[in-house]
Amino acid sequence: MTELTSNIDYPRQTLDAVFKPKSIAVIGATPKRGTIGHQLLQNIFQFGFSGIVFPVNPKYESIHSIKCYPSVSSIPDPVDLAFIVIPKESVAQVAEECGEKGVGGLVILSAGFKEVGGDGLKREEELSELQRKYGFRIIGPNCMGILNTAPSVRLNGTFAPTEPESGSLAFMTQSGALGVAILLAVKKRNLGVSYFVSVGNRVDVSGDDLLEYWAADERSNVIGLYLESFGDPRRFTNLSKEITRHKPIIVVKSGRTAAGSRAASSHTGQLAGLDIAVDALLHQCGVIRVSTLEEMMDLVLALTKNPVPKGDRVCILTNAGGPAIMATDAVVNEGLTMAKLTGATRKKLAGFLPEESSLRNPVDMIASAGPDEYGKAMEVILEDKGVDTVIVIFVPPMLVEPREVMKQVAEASSHHKKPVYCVLMAEDHYYDEIPRQFKNAPPLYRFPESAVRAISAVNGYRIWCERPEGNITTFPCEDPAIENIINDQRQSGGGYLSPVDVNRVLRAYGFPLCNVELVPTDGDVVVAAEKIGYPLVLKVHGEDIIHKSDVGGVIVDIPDERQLLGAKAQMDRSLADAGVTDRVEGFLVQEVAKSGKEVILGMTMDETFGPLLMFGMGGKYVEVLKDIAFRVMPVTDVDAIEMIKGIRSYPLLEGVRGEERVDIDFIVESIQRLAQMVNDIPAIVELDMNPVIVTADRGACRVVDSRIRVAPLRPSAGQT
Ligand code: ADP
Ligand code: MG
């Protein structure tokens, strides 16, 4: 191989080099059935590639009566794209040859690279160097190929046995094996793809590159991703936030059940399950996350066949009671609204429906309803301004032909711009025949719940599109001592800041604190108490005593000196009983906060996603209630409000049973202050404020317990 340089000799190609080639070479093509090299070539022929194909294999003079070339350099014409299906050892050399020939893109299906470790890593690095040297784009290695159904291209460069249909779904998968299953699932739902890409090891082209490419592609209306890991969460965030405003992105991210909490000594750390960051990130980017491929297909069906509704009001039209009840339950459980039909609508329905019908939502036309009734009722309901989405349920009674009903439903819905979902509870063959027969038919579902789940996801997407982008507020913070406090702690090996330092940092960022005195173990709590004033709280302090109340280390509302001494003696005994006396580093004498609702604000560092911010109901029960919300950075005011409103106990903050509403704006601001602090001080790896006591009066809100841990300073190179 020639000497590699890090200079880019050729300009880096755009992805058009990969997806819109005029000529392709299939290196490793073979006439042997049952091999990838055979199936790939077969698929390219069968799908009717619009350009020229050059099989390459030194062992054959022709394959399928087409001239076969011994090497890519022996092809007399230019080659835009090369598929590489040869043993791993020869891939680099062939790639180099492609580079010399001026090939713009490589799709490397061969395996045996990064995924196998060892020598594979070296081989992958070699590819990466060649990519930089020649500027060609690489898909793979270790992938199952690419697909572009555009009529001007028609490239099925995969070895999947399913012949794909053309459609508006652009799909990327990080798992090749799953890719085959996905193409099959797409086909089974009578859906089609615009693009399909198995990215493999992503030595060059990443999922993010594809997102960018598809964002601008007119044939792709929905983007689907099967993700196993994030290459560059920051880039993904920036891209997807932009794209989802006009094109939905649906993600199946595996690892949902990756249970277990991190080894952490903070509430926030313990509560941040491994999957929390992914959920938070996707949510903040407007990306729709689903847990199964089936759910994804339900949703793709919805988004490709239906417009996004204007609101969340659903009307159900049925000929059978049972499924309508199931649909109604699902609508309510998903947080959607059952539409209220106007008097005029009901009157119109009464004009042609039998007396036994129910004219309220769900509209039950009873079993006698046929194509005519369905058609007319659909027109009337779709006219009603109080209806945003319609679910049509049809359970075929004897003598009524489902195709006729669906024809009328399709006809009526084509007159309106509202989404319509059909739940057809009929024999299997209809699910295939109806979409083929009526191209404009609304999406078909087998069960009410799957239709409603799709409606709910689409509704979530609507809310995202309407949601303001939000702002990042910056608060003044001018305590020059903070930097030193943090650096000193880092220098001495990191870990928890002392309570005094914690308070200094929090105060600098505008958090309201209780006055507090730290008393050494041999100090006098009474002297400290005089500075604070009664009533007060006595707490134990020790870096390793994480939950003070667990060991009898918190006594609140101490009214006077006598009781303080009693409390101190009692606490000493409790600490001894709990066996933590030798971990006691001192005592805190603290002002009592006005009573209110206890919330938690926290942060824990995620290796991949950076700081994770947490808000939730706080106090002692936080781990039991797990009523919390996480966000990744950056966190805007809109994110902060959503975090607060997103927890189950939000109504408690609003006040129930005549209670006062707590100052929610204070919490919104506190979340933003925390975000700023975390952003300003990257050395913070863990932080808990639990509880923050919030009251109706902002002036009385207090952070009464907090911990901050910072990372150790990394010894710089050369230090011993
Ligand atoms: P820990 O979380 O280590 O057990 P905390 O300092 O959070 O200890 O105290 C436990 C509980 O005691 C709090 O959830 C709160 O209900 C109450 N508490 C602690 N400090 C105060 C205070 N200054 N004013 C009022 N209540 C307090
Ligand atoms: Mg606490």
Side-chain angles (χ1 to χ4, degrees):
M1 203 193 297
T2 55
E3 190 69 15
L4 294 178
T5 64
S6 60
N7 295 343
I8 294 176
D9 298 354
Y10 297 86
R12 199 171 192 230
Q13 303 272 354
T14 72
L15 290 186
D16 281 350
V18 172
F19 292 117
K20 296 177 179 161
K22 297 252 178 293
S23 58
I24 55 183
V26 179
I27 306 170
T30 146
K32 274 190 227 151
R33 284 179 181 280
T35 62
I36 292 177
H38 177 262
Q39 185 69 40
L40 173 65
L41 192 63
Q42 192 72 21
N43 281 354
I44 292 170
F45 287 151
Q46 220 154 52
F47 202 61
F49 175 55
S50 66
I52 308 167
V53 185
F54 302 103
V56 175
N57 192 332
K59 286 194 217 149
Y60 304 99
E61 272 189 22
S62 72
I63 296 177
H64 296 318
S65 62
I66 294 187
K67 182 175 164 53
C68 183
Y69 295 83
S71 65
V72 73
S73 42
S74 61
I75 300 171
D77 298 306
V79 172
D80 293 337
L81 177 67
F83 287 85
I84 302 183
V85 204
I86 56 173
K88 53 186 185 290
E89 295 79 11
S90 322
V91 171
Q93 187 215 323
V94 165
E96 174 108 58
E97 229 180 288
C98 288
E100 288 301 326
K101 174 140 183 88
V103 175
L106 309 182
V107 179
I108 305 176
L109 291 88
S110 312
F113 293 81
K114 195 172 73 187
E115 80 281 8
V116 297
D119 278 357
L121 292 171
K122 255 198 349 245
R123 279 192 289 274
E124 186 138 335
E125 186 44 41
E126 242 176 328
L127 285 181
S128 174
E129 282 173 29
L130 287 167
Q131 193 279 320
R132 287 195 293 274
K133 179 176 174 191
Y134 291 106
F136 49 51
R137 304 309 305 265
I138 303 177
I139 305 270
N142 184 31
C143 75
M144 65 152 291
I146 63 163
L147 178 60
N148 178 3
T149 59
S152 57
V153 181
R154 300 278 309 166
L155 173 59
N156 179 2
T158 71
F159 55 87
T162 317
E163 164 137 352
E165 298 288 332
S166 168
S168 57
L169 167 68
F171 198 98
M172 185 282 285
T173 175
Q174 285 182 356
S175 151
L178 209 76
V180 178
I182 287 161
L183 284 176
L184 189 66
V186 167
K187 179 129 182 175
K188 273 198 160 162
R189 295 297 185 99
N190 280 290
L191 288 165
V193 294
S194 53
Y195 289 91
F196 173 86
V197 180
S198 152
V199 285
N201 294 2
R202 296 173 276 164
V203 66
D204 171 34
V205 176
S206 66
D208 293 339
D209 295 329
L210 295 171
L211 275 185
E212 212 165 10
Y213 192 67
W214 291 336
D217 180 63
E218 282 175 10
R219 291 176 58 247
S220 307
N221 296 331
V222 178
I223 298 174
L225 310 173
Y226 172 79
L227 297 182
E228 284 171 352
S229 64
F230 285 87
D232 180 351
R234 207 161 274 268
R235 184 161 171 234
F236 178 86
T237 306
N238 291 337
L239 275 172
S240 57
K241 260 187 188 162
E242 275 293 310
I243 297 170
T244 49
R245 297 245 162 220
H246 57 95
K247 224 173 250 196
I249 302 178
I250 312 169
V251 163
V252 193
K253 167 75 178 71
S254 56
R256 268 228 133 143
T257 53
S261 38
R262 304 146 195 252
S265 53
S266 66
H267 297 278
T268 312
Q270 279 170 16
L271 288 162
L274 294 171
D275 205 35
I276 285 279
V278 177
D279 255 347
L281 177 116
L282 295 178
H283 176 85
Q284 274 168 273
C285 297
V287 172
I288 310 169
R289 182 176 189 177
V290 293
S291 21
T292 63
L293 279 182
E294 173 156 31
E295 223 178 301
M296 170 171 264
M297 291 309 141
D298 283 343
L299 198 47
V300 171
L301 200 62
L303 287 164
T304 50
K305 301 240 173 203
N306 270 330
V308 175
K310 297 264 183 294
D312 70 349
R313 298 161 305 176
V314 180
C315 179
I316 301 166
L317 175 66
T318 186
N319 68 342
I325 296 173
M326 290 166 83
T328 307
D329 284 350
V331 164
V332 174
N333 287 339
E334 291 282 351
L336 299 161
T337 306
M338 286 295 280
K340 263 203 174 64
L341 299 178
T342 63
T345 300
R346 291 212 301 274
K347 214 162 140 195
K348 279 188 223 159
L349 290 171
F352 61 88
L353 291 179
E355 221 177 293
E356 299 79 11
S357 312
S358 164
L359 302 181
R360 288 176 193 279
N361 188 10
V363 177
D364 187 348
M365 305 188 287
I366 69 169
S368 58
D372 261 11
E373 284 82 2
Y374 267 96
K376 280 192 199 151
M378 282 296 288
E379 291 285 2
V380 171
I381 291 169
L382 284 165
E383 288 271 286
D384 192 316
K385 290 208 164 58
V387 174
D388 300 306
T389 295
V390 181
I391 303 176
V392 190
I393 300 173
F394 179 59
V395 185
M398 271 196 295
L399 305 177
V400 183
E401 169 54 45
R403 265 176 290 245
E404 288 306 311
V405 170
M406 286 304 140
K407 186 178 171 197
Q408 294 306 320
V409 169
E411 176 72 25
S413 46
S414 69
H415 300 153
H416 300 266
K417 287 204 178 76
K418 290 181 185 176
V420 174
Y421 293 74
C422 293
V423 178
L424 175 63
M425 303 180 99
E427 282 151 70
D428 268 357
H429 60 97
Y430 288 112
Y431 300 95
D432 204 36
E433 286 162 19
I434 287 168
R436 281 177 196 280
Q437 200 173 344
F438 312 110
K439 288 280 174 223
N440 63 345
L444 275 190
Y445 295 84
R446 284 168 195 256
F447 300 104
E449 310 86 75
S450 37
V452 174
R453 203 171 43 197
I455 294 170
S456 170
V458 174
N459 185 56
Y461 179 64
R462 171 187 67 84
I463 293 169
W464 162 259
C465 293
E466 290 168 359
R467 173 191 193 264
E469 277 191 37
N471 296 305
I472 292 175
T473 319
T474 321
F475 303 90
C477 165
E478 280 146 15
D479 187 345
I482 303 299
E483 209 178 316
N484 286 338
I485 290 178
I486 303 288
N487 281 339
D488 288 352
Q489 186 72 37
R490 298 193 69 191
Q491 216 99 45
S492 54
Y496 288 98
L497 298 182
S498 75
V500 176
D501 289 344
V502 168
N503 281 3
R504 181 107 191 221
V505 174
L506 293 182
R507 188 166 286 124
Y509 279 89
F511 287 99
L513 305 166
C514 289
N515 287 329
V516 67
E517 288 287 321
L518 176 59
V519 186
T521 35
D522 57 355
D524 189 347
V525 289
V526 173
V527 177
E530 263 145 33
K531 292 193 200 151
I532 300 294
Y534 293 93
L536 49 75
V537 182
L538 179 68
K539 292 183 190 179
V540 68
H541 165 63
E543 196 170 286
D544 298 328
I545 304 175
I546 293 162
H547 302 304
K548 298 178 284 295
S549 17
D550 285 356
V551 292
V554 178
I555 298 175
V556 296
D557 286 324
I558 301 170
D560 53 38
E561 186 177 320
R562 195 178 58 83
Q563 298 211 31
L564 173 61
L565 290 169
K568 173 70 169 56
Q570 182 195 328
M571 189 175 289
D572 284 338
R573 279 196 302 276
S574 307
L575 295 169
D577 288 348
V580 295
T581 307
D582 55 347
R583 290 197 245 154
V584 175
E585 293 165 45
F587 293 89
L588 295 169
V589 174
Q590 192 184 40
E591 194 187 344
V592 178
K594 245 182 87 180
S595 70
K597 294 277 165 8
E598 299 196 358
V599 300
I600 178 169
L601 280 177
M603 185 281 271
T604 184
M605 190 60 83
D606 183 280
E607 258 176 44
T608 314
F609 300 98
L612 280 175
L613 253 52
M614 184 180 90
F615 164 76
M617 284 314 271
K620 284 190 271 190
Y621 303 125
V622 56
E623 282 93 353
V624 179
L625 297 174
K626 289 202 172 76
D627 193 12
I628 44 179
F630 280 91
R631 290 293 183 278
V632 295
M633 300 283 280
V635 170
T636 66
D637 51 352
V638 175
D639 288 317
I641 293 167
E642 282 187 2
M643 279 176 95
I644 300 166
K645 293 194 172 168
I647 64 167
R648 290 190 307 279
S649 317
Y650 174 69
L652 295 183
L653 300 175
E654 283 280 1
V656 289
R657 305 266 143 83
E659 280 173 350
E660 274 184 314
R661 176 184 195 267
V662 305
D663 190 327
I664 291 175
D665 287 345
F666 165 78
I667 310 178
V668 175
E669 194 184 301
S670 297
I671 293 174
Q672 292 176 272
R673 285 181 186 276
L674 174 61
Q676 181 185 347
M677 183 166 114
V678 160
N679 200 45
D680 288 355
I681 316 175
I684 298 180
V685 285
E686 217 168 333
L687 177 151
D688 258 348
M689 290 182 249
N690 185 31
V692 181
I693 301 182
V694 284
T695 65
D697 164 23
R698 180 193 188 98
C701 298
R702 292 285 183 276
V703 180
V704 304
D705 183 28
S706 40
R707 290 163 78 82
I708 296 179
R709 189 164 66 85
V710 296
L713 211 56
R714 271 198 212 163
S716 56
Q719 250 180 344
T720 45

